[in-house]
Amino acid sequence: MNTTFEKEAYKQLYDNSVLFLKDGIERLVNKDNGNDDYIEHDLLTLTCTSFQISLELAIKSLIIEREGIRKVINKKQQNLTDDKIEELFKNNELKTLDFDVQKNFVKSKNFIEDLSKEDFDTIDEFQTYRNRIVHFSYKFYDGDLFDLKYDLIYYLIKIIFKVLQSKKHQDEKPSEFLQYTLGDELHKKIISYTPYIQAMRRLAKENSRKVFDCIVCNNRTYSQDEDYCYCCNFLGESYNMIDCDFCKEKRCVIYDNLNIHLNRNEAKGLCLNCGEDAIIYQCPKCESAYNMETNIGNRSLCNNIRCANE
């Protein structure tokens, strides 16, 4: 992607992909009850179509970003000069390759390393749904209406997000990217949508050794490894963690040590694993911390009179 008009084309495609994505999400979370039941046929039809269009535009923008605009237009136009291609682009006369060709090109180049063969199979499946909806008024059966309610969110998180994140957002976490892309209002709605919460629970488990309850959204989607909630995007990096004396889990009791010295070096703590609360003491000298309630009378630990490590 070298020329100015290629960058413009990339931006238009990317922005339109996000537009259809937001349209599908907003319709879904506003009109579906989020319960563990069927999704309405009309709602599924419109959401599936919006998500598929979003993916197709995202893949096209990804190819332009990585390889340039010639890789998405037909062979006849590929041989034209940059000036002529730009002219056709401005006149809306560029003819792009079929989605299958673009999809297989992305797959062959391994542009998105963590898209698996199964993920590409899912893309094929949703493409079939979309084509049948557009061309044959596809009839969904009752089982489809149940399964696809959750498959839509999987498709959103595991596939569309990964394509849209590409180079520019590749270091962002899923919910971080979602909040940035959707805006705060729509992000608040989707993190309360049950199928999304369940999908993020699953994603957190897949990517983390330990997953705990989040102190912000109360979902079991907080990754101990990353100090990050997959559902609501809460970052726990500024908080301290110690082991729990109740459930014996490591590094799961969270407390805020900001200005702890103003409160006799004590702060409230909460175990994100078992839910037990605690009063935490943190030594002002060595910064070791412990649960005061389970260590009453333990003179080997630090206190406000002496540091046990001096």
Side-chain angles (χ1 to χ4, degrees), residues 179-196:
Q179 185 173 9
Y180 171 83
T181 303
L182 300 184
D184 290 339
E185 183 178 351
L186 188 52
H187 181 252
K188 287 179 182 178
K189 290 181 180 180
I190 196 172
I191 65 175
S192 300
Y193 184 61
T194 301
Y196 175 80

Side-chain angles (χ1 to χ4, degrees), residues 26-89:
E26 188 161 21
R27 184 188 300 109
L28 185 64
V29 298
N30 284 337
K31 294 188 176 182
D32 183 64
N33 56 26
N35 295 332
D36 192 22
D37 56 11
Y38 300 107
I39 184 173
E40 291 183 4
H41 180 279
D42 291 350
L43 178 58
L44 175 59
T45 297
L46 292 171
T47 306
C48 185
T49 303
S50 292
F51 281 5
Q52 183 60 27
I53 294 174
S54 175
L55 178 69
E56 293 183 14
L57 293 170
I59 283 182
K60 197 176 297 182
S61 70
L62 175 63
I63 294 173
I64 294 176
E65 180 187 37
R66 299 290 182 91
E67 298 284 337
I69 200 167
R70 280 183 167 80
K71 293 296 184 180
V72 301
I73 59 180
N74 67 25
K75 290 185 178 180
K76 183 178 179 180
Q77 292 183 341
Q78 286 176 10
N79 297 321
L80 299 175
T81 64
D82 286 350
D83 290 340
K84 185 59 179 178
I85 293 176
E86 181 175 5
E87 179 185 340
L88 293 174
F89 167 70

Side-chain angles (χ1 to χ4, degrees), residues 20-197:
F20 277 100
L21 180 69
K22 292 172 71 173
D23 173 72
I25 292 174
E26 188 161 21
R27 184 188 300 109
L28 185 64
V29 298
N30 284 337
K31 294 188 176 182
D32 183 64
N33 56 26
N35 295 332
D36 192 22
D37 56 11
Y38 300 107
I39 184 173
E40 291 183 4
H41 180 279
D42 291 350
L43 178 58
L44 175 59
T45 297
L46 292 171
T47 306
C48 185
T49 303
S50 292
F51 281 5
Q52 183 60 27
I53 294 174
S54 175
L55 178 69
E56 293 183 14
L57 293 170
I59 283 182
K60 197 176 297 182
S61 70
L62 175 63
I63 294 173
I64 294 176
E65 180 187 37
R66 299 290 182 91
E67 298 284 337
I69 200 167
R70 280 183 167 80
K71 293 296 184 180
V72 301
I73 59 180
N74 67 25
K75 290 185 178 180
K76 183 178 179 180
Q77 292 183 341
Q78 286 176 10
N79 297 321
L80 299 175
T81 64
D82 286 350
D83 290 340
K84 185 59 179 178
I85 293 176
E86 181 175 5
E87 179 185 340
L88 293 174
F89 167 70
K90 290 180 177 179
N91 293 330
N92 297 315
E93 295 177 352
L94 283 180
K95 297 180 180 180
T96 59
L97 299 170
D98 290 341
F99 175 65
D100 277 331
V101 176
Q102 298 175 38
K103 173 191 64 185
N104 291 331
F105 179 74
V106 168
K107 184 178 180 180
S108 67
K109 290 289 187 177
N110 199 27
F111 283 159
I112 309 169
E113 294 181 1
D114 53 352
L115 273 187
S116 65
K117 178 184 180 298
E118 289 72 23
D119 290 332
F120 277 99
D121 290 342
T122 302
I123 292 175
D124 291 339
E125 184 178 355
F126 267 82
Q127 184 184 353
T128 300
Y129 286 140
R130 185 260 184 190
N131 290 341
R132 289 178 177 175
I133 287 168
V134 172
H135 300 295
F136 298 105
S137 186
Y138 185 66
K139 178 182 178 181
F140 291 104
Y141 296 98
D142 288 345
D144 296 329
L145 297 177
F146 182 87
D147 295 337
L148 280 168
K149 183 171 186 174
Y150 293 88
D151 290 345
L152 280 169
I153 298 299
Y154 177 89
Y155 193 60
L156 170 72
I157 295 169
K158 296 284 286 186
I159 296 173
I160 301 179
F161 281 4
K162 289 180 180 178
V163 179
L164 281 173
Q165 283 185 272
S166 61
K167 286 184 179 180
K168 184 178 179 181
H169 303 282
Q170 62 184 350
D171 294 327
E172 295 176 7
K173 297 178 176 66
S175 190
E176 182 182 9
F177 171 72
L178 182 66
Q179 185 173 9
Y180 171 83
T181 303
L182 300 184
D184 290 339
E185 183 178 351
L186 188 52
H187 181 252
K188 287 179 182 178
K189 290 181 180 180
I190 196 172
I191 65 175
S192 300
Y193 184 61
T194 301
Y196 175 80
I197 295 171

